[in-house]
Amino acid sequence: MIQRFIELGEGYSDIYELIELARANRHRLSGFFAFHTVKKGQAVVSLVVVLHPTDPGDFQPLYICREGVPDPSVKPNKRYDLFAETAKELGFGVIHLDVKPSTMFAELDLYYQHLIGIMRMNRFIPPLQ
């Protein structure tokens, strides 16, 4: 199985694309996630929609808007509210995880590998077989 993050942007206007991806793929939805972190002194979240793997192909996409939405527990905002409302509308809750910021990693790929490891360890996505 291949599990890969697909970055849409930081969550400004691309949050609408993330929401539309979830609605259009409701039959493949696996989960909604909010990764909380502090980046450059600001509390932010990365919003993630995970789909079940493709069949055939065994490719599991994790769509992400990385570190551009203010943390709703610090600064309530409409972008996060839209994400949470979409999750509820589609029968899901948002799973919250505290993670390190991407700036702590030399390469973005290492950051995404770190997040995949956390998600596998917590059994939110399946391990490689």
Side-chain angles (χ1 to χ4, degrees), residues 4-68:
R4 187 174 314 148
F5 276 95
I6 300 171
E7 187 170 321
L8 299 177
E10 295 182 342
Y12 298 101
S13 59
D14 31 52
I15 188 72
Y16 302 106
E17 181 65 16
L18 183 66
I19 289 168
E20 189 57 33
L21 278 166
R23 286 184 176 141
N25 289 286
R26 63 182 65 212
H27 62 288
R28 287 186 54 212
L29 283 174
S30 176
F32 287 75
F33 294 83
F35 296 145
H36 297 256
T37 196
V38 176
K39 184 177 178 185
K40 298 179 184 175
Q42 300 291 319
V44 294
V45 294
S46 296
L47 301 177
V48 181
V49 170
V50 179
L51 301 183
H52 288 292
T54 59
D55 183 27
D58 233 8
F59 173 75
Q60 184 170 30
L62 300 95
Y63 292 98
I64 186 170
C65 290
R66 182 174 48 93
E67 302 172 332

Side-chain angles (χ1 to χ4, degrees), residues 65-76:
C65 290
R66 182 174 48 93
E67 302 172 332
V69 177
D71 188 322
S73 63
V74 175
K75 182 180 179 184

